[in-house]
CSV table of all heavy atoms in Angstrom, one decimal:
chain,number,residue,atom,x,y,z
A,566,LYS,N,3.9,3.6,9.0
A,566,LYS,CA,3.2,2.2,8.9
A,566,LYS,C,2.1,2.1,7.9
A,566,LYS,O,1.7,3.1,7.6
A,566,LYS,CB,2.7,1.9,10.4
A,566,LYS,CG,3.7,1.9,11.5
A,566,LYS,CD,3.0,1.6,12.9
A,566,LYS,CE,2.6,0.2,12.9
A,566,LYS,NZ,2.0,-0.2,14.2
A,568,ASN,N,-1.0,-0.7,6.1
A,568,ASN,CA,-1.8,-1.9,6.0
A,568,ASN,C,-2.0,-2.7,4.8
A,568,ASN,O,-2.9,-3.2,4.5
A,568,ASN,CB,-3.2,-1.5,6.7
A,568,ASN,CG,-3.2,-1.0,8.2
A,568,ASN,OD1,-2.5,-1.6,9.0
A,568,ASN,ND2,-3.8,0.0,8.4
A,571,ILE,N,-2.2,-6.4,4.7
A,571,ILE,CA,-3.5,-6.9,5.2
A,571,ILE,C,-4.6,-6.7,4.1
A,571,ILE,O,-5.4,-7.5,3.9
A,571,ILE,CB,-3.8,-6.2,6.6
A,571,ILE,CG1,-2.8,-6.5,7.6
A,571,ILE,CG2,-5.4,-6.4,6.8
A,571,ILE,CD1,-2.9,-5.7,8.8
A,574,ALA,N,-4.3,-9.2,1.2
A,574,ALA,CA,-4.9,-10.4,1.6
A,574,ALA,C,-6.4,-10.5,1.7
A,574,ALA,O,-7.0,-11.4,1.0
A,574,ALA,CB,-4.3,-10.9,2.9
A,581,ALA,N,2.3,-8.6,-7.1
A,581,ALA,CA,2.3,-8.5,-8.5
A,581,ALA,C,0.9,-8.1,-9.0
A,581,ALA,O,0.9,-7.1,-9.9
A,581,ALA,CB,2.6,-9.8,-9.3
A,586,LYS,N,-2.2,-3.3,-11.2
A,586,LYS,CA,-3.4,-2.4,-11.0
A,586,LYS,C,-3.0,-1.0,-10.8
A,586,LYS,O,-3.8,-0.2,-11.3
A,586,LYS,CB,-4.4,-2.9,-9.8
A,586,LYS,CG,-5.0,-4.2,-10.2
A,586,LYS,CD,-6.0,-4.6,-9.1
A,586,LYS,CE,-6.7,-5.9,-9.3
A,586,LYS,NZ,-7.6,-5.8,-10.5
A,587,ILE,N,-2.0,-0.7,-10.1
A,587,ILE,CA,-1.6,0.8,-9.8
A,587,ILE,C,-0.5,1.2,-10.7
A,587,ILE,O,-0.1,2.5,-10.6
A,587,ILE,CB,-1.4,1.1,-8.3
A,587,ILE,CG1,-0.3,0.2,-7.7
A,587,ILE,CG2,-2.7,0.8,-7.7
A,587,ILE,CD1,0.1,0.6,-6.4
A,590,SER,N,6.1,-1.5,-10.0
A,590,SER,CA,6.8,-2.8,-10.0
A,590,SER,C,6.3,-3.6,-8.8
A,590,SER,O,6.0,-3.0,-7.7
A,590,SER,CB,8.2,-2.8,-10.1
A,590,SER,OG,8.7,-2.2,-8.9
A,592,GLN,N,8.4,-5.2,-7.0
A,592,GLN,CA,9.5,-4.6,-6.0
A,592,GLN,C,9.1,-3.5,-5.2
A,592,GLN,O,9.4,-3.2,-4.1
A,592,GLN,CB,10.8,-4.6,-6.7
A,592,GLN,CG,11.4,-5.8,-7.3
A,592,GLN,CD,11.0,-6.2,-8.6
A,592,GLN,OE1,9.9,-5.6,-9.2
A,592,GLN,NE2,11.5,-7.2,-9.2
A,593,SER,N,8.4,-2.5,-5.9
A,593,SER,CA,8.1,-1.3,-5.2
A,593,SER,C,6.9,-1.5,-4.2
A,593,SER,O,7.0,-1.0,-3.1
A,593,SER,CB,7.5,-0.3,-6.3
A,593,SER,OG,8.3,0.2,-7.2
A,596,ALA,N,8.8,-3.1,-1.3
A,596,ALA,CA,9.4,-2.1,-0.4
A,596,ALA,C,8.5,-1.3,0.3
A,596,ALA,O,8.8,-0.8,1.6
A,596,ALA,CB,10.2,-1.2,-1.4
A,597,ILE,N,7.3,-0.9,-0.2
A,597,ILE,CA,6.4,-0.1,0.6
A,597,ILE,C,5.8,-0.8,1.7
A,597,ILE,O,5.7,-0.4,2.8
A,597,ILE,CB,5.2,0.4,-0.4
A,597,ILE,CG1,5.7,1.3,-1.3
A,597,ILE,CG2,4.1,1.0,0.4
A,597,ILE,CD1,4.8,1.6,-2.5
A,598,GLU,N,5.5,-2.1,1.6
A,598,GLU,CA,5.0,-2.9,2.7
A,598,GLU,C,6.0,-3.0,3.8
A,598,GLU,O,5.6,-3.1,5.0
A,598,GLU,CB,4.7,-4.3,2.1
A,598,GLU,CG,3.4,-4.4,1.4
A,598,GLU,CD,3.0,-5.8,0.9
A,598,GLU,OE1,3.7,-6.8,1.2
A,598,GLU,OE2,2.0,-6.0,0.3
A,601,LYS,N,10.4,0.4,3.5
A,601,LYS,CA,11.7,0.8,3.1
A,601,LYS,C,11.5,2.0,2.0
A,601,LYS,O,12.4,2.6,1.6
A,601,LYS,CB,12.5,-0.3,2.3
A,601,LYS,CG,12.8,-1.4,3.4
A,601,LYS,CD,13.5,-2.5,2.6
A,601,LYS,CE,14.0,-3.6,3.7
A,601,LYS,NZ,14.7,-4.7,3.1
A,615,LEU,N,-8.3,1.9,-4.7
A,615,LEU,CA,-8.5,0.5,-5.1
A,615,LEU,C,-9.0,-0.3,-3.8
A,615,LEU,O,-9.8,-1.0,-4.0
A,615,LEU,CB,-7.1,-0.1,-5.4
A,615,LEU,CG,-7.0,-1.6,-5.8
A,615,LEU,CD1,-7.9,-1.7,-7.1
A,615,LEU,CD2,-5.7,-2.1,-5.7
A,616,PHE,N,-8.5,0.1,-2.7
A,616,PHE,CA,-9.1,-0.7,-1.5
A,616,PHE,C,-10.4,-0.1,-0.9
A,616,PHE,O,-10.8,-0.5,0.2
A,616,PHE,CB,-7.9,-0.8,-0.3
A,616,PHE,CG,-6.7,-1.6,-0.8
A,616,PHE,CD1,-5.4,-1.2,-0.6
A,616,PHE,CD2,-6.9,-2.8,-1.4
A,616,PHE,CE1,-4.3,-2.0,-0.9
A,616,PHE,CE2,-5.8,-3.6,-1.8
A,616,PHE,CZ,-4.6,-3.2,-1.5
A,618,MET,N,-10.8,2.7,0.8
A,618,MET,CA,-10.6,3.2,2.1
A,618,MET,C,-9.7,4.6,2.0
A,618,MET,O,-9.2,4.9,1.0
A,618,MET,CB,-9.9,2.3,3.0
A,618,MET,CG,-8.5,1.9,2.4
A,618,MET,SD,-7.7,0.5,3.2
A,618,MET,CE,-8.2,0.6,4.9
A,619,SER,N,-9.7,5.4,3.2
A,619,SER,CA,-9.0,6.6,3.2
A,619,SER,C,-7.6,6.3,3.2
A,619,SER,O,-7.2,5.3,3.8
A,619,SER,CB,-9.4,7.4,4.3
A,619,SER,OG,-9.0,6.8,5.5
A,625,SER,N,-0.2,5.3,8.2
A,625,SER,CA,-0.3,6.0,9.5
A,625,SER,C,1.1,6.4,9.8
A,625,SER,O,2.0,5.6,9.7
A,625,SER,CB,-1.0,5.3,10.7
A,625,SER,OG,-0.3,4.1,11.0
A,628,ALA,N,4.3,7.0,16.0
A,628,ALA,CA,4.6,8.0,17.1
A,628,ALA,C,6.1,8.3,17.2
A,628,ALA,O,6.9,7.4,17.2
A,628,ALA,CB,4.1,7.4,18.5
A,629,GLU,N,6.3,9.7,17.2
A,629,GLU,CA,7.6,10.2,17.3
A,629,GLU,C,8.0,10.3,18.8
A,629,GLU,O,7.3,10.6,19.7
A,629,GLU,CB,7.8,11.5,16.7
A,629,GLU,CG,7.6,11.5,15.2
A,629,GLU,CD,7.6,12.9,14.5
A,629,GLU,OE1,8.3,13.7,15.0
A,629,GLU,OE2,7.2,13.0,13.5
A,630,ASP,N,9.3,9.9,19.1
A,630,ASP,CA,9.7,9.9,20.6
A,630,ASP,C,10.2,11.4,20.9
A,630,ASP,O,10.7,12.0,20.0
A,630,ASP,CB,10.8,8.9,20.8
A,630,ASP,CG,10.2,7.6,20.8
A,630,ASP,OD1,8.9,7.4,20.7
A,630,ASP,OD2,10.9,6.5,20.6
Side-chain angles (χ1 to χ4, degrees):
K566 295 175 73 175
N568 296 315
I571 294 166
K586 287 183 181 292
I587 61 173
S590 69
Q592 291 86 351
S593 292
I597 293 167
E598 285 184 1
K601 295 180 179 179
L615 179 72
F616 294 134
M618 62 190 328
S619 68
S625 62
E629 295 180 20
D630 293 343

